mmCIF file of all heavy atoms in Angstrom:
data_model
loop_
_atom_site.group_PDB
_atom_site.id
_atom_site.type_symbol
_atom_site.label_atom_id
_atom_site.label_comp_id
_atom_site.label_asym_id
_atom_site.label_seq_id
_atom_site.Cartn_x
_atom_site.Cartn_y
_atom_site.Cartn_z
ATOM 1 N N GLN A 151 -33.376 4.748 -15.101
ATOM 2 C CA GLN A 151 -33.393 4.900 -16.556
ATOM 3 C C GLN A 151 -33.410 3.549 -17.260
ATOM 4 O O GLN A 151 -33.847 3.451 -18.400
ATOM 5 C CB GLN A 151 -32.188 5.711 -17.025
ATOM 6 C CG GLN A 151 -32.105 7.108 -16.457
ATOM 7 C CD GLN A 151 -33.307 7.990 -16.716
ATOM 8 O OE1 GLN A 151 -33.720 8.718 -15.847
ATOM 9 N NE2 GLN A 151 -33.874 7.944 -17.883
ATOM 10 N N SER A 152 -32.946 2.508 -16.587
ATOM 11 C CA SER A 152 -32.829 1.183 -17.221
ATOM 12 C C SER A 152 -34.175 0.523 -17.474
ATOM 13 O O SER A 152 -34.283 -0.360 -18.316
ATOM 14 C CB SER A 152 -31.993 0.252 -16.346
ATOM 15 O OG SER A 152 -30.706 0.773 -16.173
ATOM 16 N N GLY A 153 -35.184 0.914 -16.731
ATOM 17 C CA GLY A 153 -36.514 0.329 -16.849
ATOM 18 C C GLY A 153 -37.341 0.804 -15.670
ATOM 19 O O GLY A 153 -36.958 1.734 -14.958
ATOM 20 N N LEU A 154 -38.456 0.161 -15.429
ATOM 21 C CA LEU A 154 -39.349 0.586 -14.363
ATOM 22 C C LEU A 154 -38.987 -0.084 -13.047
ATOM 23 O O LEU A 154 -38.931 -1.316 -12.968
ATOM 24 C CB LEU A 154 -40.798 0.249 -14.713
ATOM 25 C CG LEU A 154 -41.810 0.438 -13.583
ATOM 26 C CD1 LEU A 154 -41.869 1.876 -13.119
ATOM 27 C CD2 LEU A 154 -43.169 -0.055 -14.001
ATOM 28 N N ILE A 155 -38.725 0.739 -12.045
ATOM 29 C CA ILE A 155 -38.595 0.273 -10.671
ATOM 30 C C ILE A 155 -39.772 0.853 -9.907
ATOM 31 O O ILE A 155 -40.011 2.061 -9.943
ATOM 32 C CB ILE A 155 -37.275 0.731 -10.024
ATOM 33 C CG1 ILE A 155 -36.089 -0.020 -10.635
ATOM 34 C CG2 ILE A 155 -37.312 0.507 -8.511
ATOM 35 C CD1 ILE A 155 -34.738 0.415 -10.091
ATOM 36 N N ALA A 156 -40.514 -0.034 -9.233
ATOM 37 C CA ALA A 156 -41.628 0.391 -8.400
ATOM 38 C C ALA A 156 -41.364 -0.054 -6.971
ATOM 39 O O ALA A 156 -40.520 -0.919 -6.725
ATOM 40 C CB ALA A 156 -42.935 -0.206 -8.918
ATOM 41 N N GLN A 157 -42.117 0.516 -6.044
ATOM 42 C CA GLN A 157 -41.944 0.188 -4.630
ATOM 43 C C GLN A 157 -43.299 0.167 -3.949
ATOM 44 O O GLN A 157 -44.137 1.033 -4.185
ATOM 45 C CB GLN A 157 -41.035 1.221 -3.968
ATOM 46 C CG GLN A 157 -40.731 0.989 -2.507
ATOM 47 C CD GLN A 157 -41.792 1.538 -1.565
ATOM 48 O OE1 GLN A 157 -42.498 2.484 -1.878
ATOM 49 N NE2 GLN A 157 -41.922 0.920 -0.418
ATOM 50 N N SER A 158 -43.508 -0.850 -3.125
ATOM 51 C CA SER A 158 -44.708 -0.928 -2.293
ATOM 52 C C SER A 158 -44.422 -1.825 -1.105
ATOM 53 O O SER A 158 -44.024 -2.974 -1.275
ATOM 54 C CB SER A 158 -45.887 -1.499 -3.087
ATOM 55 O OG SER A 158 -46.983 -1.720 -2.228
ATOM 56 N N ALA A 159 -44.638 -1.306 0.088
ATOM 57 C CA ALA A 159 -44.425 -2.097 1.295
ATOM 58 C C ALA A 159 -45.707 -2.770 1.764
ATOM 59 O O ALA A 159 -45.657 -3.701 2.558
ATOM 60 C CB ALA A 159 -43.878 -1.209 2.411
ATOM 61 N N ASP A 160 -46.852 -2.332 1.246
ATOM 62 C CA ASP A 160 -48.127 -2.841 1.740
ATOM 63 C C ASP A 160 -49.012 -3.469 0.662
ATOM 64 O O ASP A 160 -50.179 -3.738 0.899
ATOM 65 C CB ASP A 160 -48.891 -1.718 2.437
ATOM 66 C CG ASP A 160 -49.170 -0.531 1.517
ATOM 67 O OD1 ASP A 160 -48.838 -0.592 0.315
ATOM 68 O OD2 ASP A 160 -49.716 0.476 2.015
ATOM 69 N N GLY A 161 -48.473 -3.689 -0.527
ATOM 70 C CA GLY A 161 -49.262 -4.286 -1.607
ATOM 71 C C GLY A 161 -50.083 -3.295 -2.401
ATOM 72 O O GLY A 161 -50.770 -3.670 -3.343
ATOM 73 N N VAL A 162 -50.038 -2.033 -2.022
ATOM 74 C CA VAL A 162 -50.759 -0.986 -2.745
ATOM 75 C C VAL A 162 -49.743 -0.231 -3.588
ATOM 76 O O VAL A 162 -48.766 0.301 -3.066
ATOM 77 C CB VAL A 162 -51.477 -0.025 -1.767
ATOM 78 C CG1 VAL A 162 -52.159 1.103 -2.540
ATOM 79 C CG2 VAL A 162 -52.468 -0.783 -0.895
ATOM 80 N N LEU A 163 -49.987 -0.199 -4.888
ATOM 81 C CA LEU A 163 -49.050 0.468 -5.789
ATOM 82 C C LEU A 163 -49.274 1.972 -5.826
ATOM 83 O O LEU A 163 -50.415 2.437 -5.791
ATOM 84 C CB LEU A 163 -49.189 -0.090 -7.200
ATOM 85 C CG LEU A 163 -48.552 -1.449 -7.405
ATOM 86 C CD1 LEU A 163 -48.981 -2.063 -8.714
ATOM 87 C CD2 LEU A 163 -47.051 -1.330 -7.358
ATOM 88 N N HIS A 164 -48.185 2.701 -5.925
ATOM 89 C CA HIS A 164 -48.233 4.145 -6.111
ATOM 90 C C HIS A 164 -48.785 4.399 -7.516
ATOM 91 O O HIS A 164 -48.359 3.764 -8.487
ATOM 92 C CB HIS A 164 -46.818 4.715 -5.960
ATOM 93 C CG HIS A 164 -46.781 6.166 -5.701
ATOM 94 N ND1 HIS A 164 -46.995 7.095 -6.683
ATOM 95 C CD2 HIS A 164 -46.560 6.854 -4.547
ATOM 96 C CE1 HIS A 164 -46.889 8.304 -6.163
ATOM 97 N NE2 HIS A 164 -46.619 8.188 -4.862
ATOM 98 N N GLU A 165 -49.718 5.321 -7.627
ATOM 99 C CA GLU A 165 -50.367 5.592 -8.912
ATOM 100 C C GLU A 165 -49.354 5.963 -9.999
ATOM 101 O O GLU A 165 -49.504 5.564 -11.156
ATOM 102 C CB GLU A 165 -51.409 6.709 -8.758
ATOM 103 C CG GLU A 165 -52.177 7.011 -10.037
ATOM 104 C CD GLU A 165 -53.012 5.848 -10.572
ATOM 105 O OE1 GLU A 165 -53.453 4.992 -9.777
ATOM 106 O OE2 GLU A 165 -53.212 5.788 -11.807
ATOM 107 N N THR A 166 -48.310 6.714 -9.658
ATOM 108 C CA THR A 166 -47.343 7.091 -10.688
ATOM 109 C C THR A 166 -46.516 5.895 -11.157
ATOM 110 O O THR A 166 -46.041 5.901 -12.290
ATOM 111 C CB THR A 166 -46.421 8.236 -10.229
ATOM 112 O OG1 THR A 166 -45.749 7.860 -9.045
ATOM 113 C CG2 THR A 166 -47.190 9.517 -10.021
ATOM 114 N N ASP A 167 -46.353 4.871 -10.321
ATOM 115 C CA ASP A 167 -45.675 3.656 -10.790
ATOM 116 C C ASP A 167 -46.519 2.962 -11.857
ATOM 117 O O ASP A 167 -45.992 2.465 -12.859
ATOM 118 C CB ASP A 167 -45.393 2.699 -9.627
ATOM 119 C CG ASP A 167 -44.329 3.226 -8.671
ATOM 120 O OD1 ASP A 167 -43.598 4.175 -9.034
ATOM 121 O OD2 ASP A 167 -44.236 2.680 -7.556
ATOM 122 N N LEU A 168 -47.839 2.929 -11.653
ATOM 123 C CA LEU A 168 -48.730 2.341 -12.665
ATOM 124 C C LEU A 168 -48.720 3.178 -13.946
ATOM 125 O O LEU A 168 -48.703 2.625 -15.053
ATOM 126 C CB LEU A 168 -50.153 2.222 -12.111
ATOM 127 C CG LEU A 168 -50.335 1.187 -11.012
ATOM 128 C CD1 LEU A 168 -51.685 1.350 -10.320
ATOM 129 C CD2 LEU A 168 -50.181 -0.225 -11.573
#
Side-chain angles (χ1 to χ4, degrees):
Q151 300 303 140
S152 300
L154 171 61
I155 289 178
Q157 182 275 333
S158 173
D160 59 4
V162 177
L163 283 168
H164 198 284
E165 183 62 28
T166 57
D167 291 345
L168 291 168

